[in-house]
Amino acid sequence: MRHLIVPNLLVEDTLSVLKENGWLAQGMRVVSHQDGEHRLVPLDMGAPAELPESIRDLEITLIEGSANERIDSDWWSHLKKLVGKKEIEKHGDSWPSSHEFISDMMVVRIEESLDVHSASIAEAKLTSHPHIRLILRDEGVQGELRIRKLSPIGARIDNRIVTKSIPKTHVSTRVIVKESGVRIACDPNRAYFSSKLQTERLETLSLAKLLRKHLGRPISVCDPFCGVGPALAPLLSEKGLVSELLASDLNPDAIELLLQNLSAWDRREYPMEPTTIRRMFDDRIVGVADAMDLAKHPEFRAKWDMLIVNLPHRTIDILPSLVGLLDTSSTSIVRGRAIVAESEIDAANKAICAALPPRLEGSDEPSLSIKRDYSSSLRLCSFQAWIAPF
Ligand SMILES: C[S@@+](CC[C@H](N)C(=O)[O-])C[C@H]1O[C@@H](n2cnc3c(N)ncnc32)[C@H](O)[C@@H]1O
């Protein structure tokens, strides 16, 4: 989560700017910086990538947010009332300690041993988070389209909490998420979306700006696993950053949401219905496509300054079939994510280097940086590679 590093004396003023604009993260705490002279103030996901002048000079750090203790203790006390102290102690660390917010929905992972308590978990979470409408149990990402199975376990209906026979009319998962000042339409039951990738997307934005500076012109961007387009939101919002764009995905539902998003971000009328990939405007190629086939198509081949590869469980295998998309007449960048066993990271770095054309002189060799645990042995990592013209 983004935190502003604020000198102790400026904390009150900064908090009032953030509160006024709704940019202070709800349910999270301001924490002390280890230097004792600053505090770390948590930014709401919707706070813009570029902050206003009065606070623009403050540095930003990316750290795990600290939950507001009052809300945290609220959840435990509601849960205790519902299931009793003995049950709480019996299941110890198995109780869900974290959750993900997607707009007014909360996504929770519940271990099988706690199946019988899922209604109580939903009720306690809804009681301690009054702005939440729907609690969804995360049953994992499934299939090639990486769609999460999310089952409703609790809803707030007319100020009542309902955990049994939740009416179909109240379980819609189609929402608008506000991230870095941009609105993103998504439906995590129909197309992959994770609000946890905001930091990743901001890092991609910084890289894109560096590439623009290096090339001295707007850059062309290719996102062949774009989902509903969250990685593109900050890029398209940055004036003069993106020239041409290719955005495609295998999932037609993702493309349907992407078209709505592009209409808003690009301020142009895109078609409402998803179609096979095609040129929709002179500078926009959008639609349903298998990424592995794109480089075979002369219209899409050798055209892109930035290639985003976000299919982390297959990235290393598929890189060779994507490289042909890069415009190698000038410097280009590949930005990717990969899921790798920690013990295999060195080998994966070698495989990435072998799959890519020669690196730009003076740039670092691509190397996976661990972002978080994916399972007990696997790590979710990201990398970037600066490719030399040839
Ligand atoms: C991990 S998700 C990333 C989505 C999006 N980039 C994001 O950050 O939210 C991977 C996406 O790749 C898509 N996908 C899977 N296999 C594909 C393929 N062969 N060609 C194109 N897209 C594919 C899935 O439908 C899914 O939307």
Side-chain angles (χ1 to χ4, degrees), residues 330-346:
S330 50
T331 303
S332 52
I333 284 188
V334 179
R335 165 82 168 148
R337 302 173 69 231
I339 293 168
V340 178
E342 195 157 355
S343 55
E344 301 283 316
I345 287 186
D346 282 347

Side-chain angles (χ1 to χ4, degrees), residues 9-24:
L9 278 176
L10 293 182
V11 170
E12 285 310 317
D13 289 351
T14 308
L15 284 175
S16 44
V17 175
L18 296 181
K19 280 182 193 155
E20 227 167 75
N21 290 286
W23 296 339
L24 186 64

